[in-house]
């Protein structure tokens, strides 16, 4: 059964670094782009960025300066790093393969001062 | 950043037909259409349609997507209580090399 499982720190302080990892089970990394998205409480979805099996990335221009997505094909995992977080980064973060309809369970990341 | 525009809310009666709109699409992907997602509270989104009505396995035929000019639409026929959810459109913006999203529409089934 194909599924995504994600994990990472859920409580951060202002200026700290957010780190999340997503493992892909039951599907090869190849031929797909793997995305990170987020959803602030009560608000809509925002795409953060994506990576493919070759390590090629695309990022949301509004977040690009603080975001890095990496991949570990040996573990079938990809990761998100977001630096210098603020309260505005408080959101549920999802990993996903958008066009294939695969989504992680979502993790709430709260940034407090 | 370029974006897509969705009405914040739509209400329609049980067993009726609802059409959700997403404007700004032709500026982004021409005639390739949008990606449509359904999200119930506290749940990850679910893919309903991608690229002009390609539905994943298991998605009801009651959900159909189309594009005309600058607007992508998701039509839901025979509305059921479980269709009450938030719906998002998205499309790949090749000029930004980024996925852009609409703000979402909350569908209420009366």
């Amino acid at each position: 059964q194909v599924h995504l499982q994600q994990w990472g720190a859920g409580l951060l302080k202002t200026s700290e670094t957010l780190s999340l990892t997503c493992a892909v089970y039951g599907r090869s990394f190849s031929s797909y782009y793997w995305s990170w998205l987020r959803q602030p409480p009560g608000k809509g979805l925002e795409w953060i960025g994506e990576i493919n099996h070759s390590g090629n990335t695309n990022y949301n221009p509004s977040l690009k300066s603080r975001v890095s997505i990496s991949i570990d094909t040996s573990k079938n995992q990809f990761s998100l790093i977001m630096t210098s977080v603020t309260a505005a980064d408080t959101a549920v973060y999802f990993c996903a393969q958008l066009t294939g309809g695969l989504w992680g369970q979502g993790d709430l990341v709260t940034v407090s001062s | 950043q370029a974006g897509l525009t969705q009405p914040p809310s739509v209400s329609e009666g049980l067993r009726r037909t609802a059409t959700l709109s997403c404007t700004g699409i032709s500026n982004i992907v021409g005639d390739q259409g949008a990606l449509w997602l359904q999200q119930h509270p506290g749940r990850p989104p679910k893919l309903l349609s991608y690229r002009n009505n390609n539905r994943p396995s298991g998605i009801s035929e009651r959900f159909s997507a189309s594009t005309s000019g600058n607007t992508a639409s998701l039509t839901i026929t025979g509305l059921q209580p479980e269709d009450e959810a938030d719906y998002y459109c998205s499309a790949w913006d090749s000029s930004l090399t980024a996925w852009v999203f609409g703000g979402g529409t909350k569908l209420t089934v009366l």
Side-chain angles (χ1 to χ4, degrees), chain B residues 56-85:
Chain B
S57 173
I59 300 300
S60 170
E61 291 181 351
R62 297 190 298 108
F63 295 91
S64 64
S66 62
T67 302
S68 177
N70 195 37
T71 299
S73 299
L74 178 71
T75 300
I76 312 170
T77 59
L79 282 170
Q80 300 296 309
E82 60 266 28
D83 298 332
E84 188 162 290

Side-chain angles (χ1 to χ4, degrees), chain B residues 12-55:
Chain B
E12 190 52 82
L14 189 64
R15 294 183 293 277
R16 299 289 294 264
T17 295
T19 299
L20 310 182
S21 63
C22 172
T23 59
I25 202 76
S26 65
N27 298 329
I28 296 174
V29 293
D31 60 354
Q32 293 186 40
L35 179 152
W36 286 96
L37 301 167
Q38 177 194 60
Q39 187 180 32
H40 289 105
R43 301 289 298 167
K46 177 193 292 185
L47 180 65
L48 297 177
S49 175
Y50 175 54
R51 280 201 176 183
N52 287 331
N53 211 26
N54 289 310
R55 281 188 303 272

Side-chain angles (χ1 to χ4, degrees), chain A residues 37 39 47 50 60 99 103, chain B residues 1 39 50 88 92 98-99:
Chain A
L37 301 95
Q39 186 171 36
W47 181 79
E50 65 180 9
N60 184 324
T99 58
W103 288 76
Chain B
Q1 178 179 346
Q39 187 180 32
Y50 175 54
Y88 295 92
W92 176 254
W99 285 93

Side-chain angles (χ1 to χ4, degrees), chain A residues 8-109:
Chain A
L11 183 60
L12 297 173
K13 295 190 175 183
T14 301
S15 79
E16 290 186 335
T17 296
L18 179 157
S19 177
L20 296 171
T21 298
C22 182
V24 180
Y25 297 98
R27 177 169 289 181
S28 168
F29 261 165
S30 60
S31 303
Y32 299 106
Y33 270 89
W34 302 89
S35 288
W36 286 99
L37 301 95
R38 68 182 183 179
Q39 186 171 36
K43 297 189 178 180
L45 294 166
E46 180 180 34
W47 181 79
I48 299 170
E50 65 180 9
I51 191 167
N52 72 359
H53 69 287
S54 298
N56 299 313
T57 54
N58 295 300
Y59 295 112
N60 184 324
S62 67
L63 297 171
K64 188 174 183 177
S65 64
R66 297 193 293 127
V67 167
S68 175
I69 298 175
S70 60
I71 197 166
D72 185 338
T73 54
S74 67
K75 295 182 179 178
N76 250 33
Q77 295 175 0
F78 62 107
S79 298
L80 169 69
I81 296 289
M82 180 182 291
T83 61
S84 304
V85 298
T86 69
D89 296 311
T90 293
V92 175
Y93 286 74
F94 295 98
C95 58
Q97 201 277 298
L98 279 177
T99 58
L102 296 175
W103 288 76
Q105 77 275 14
D107 283 329
L108 175 63
V109 176

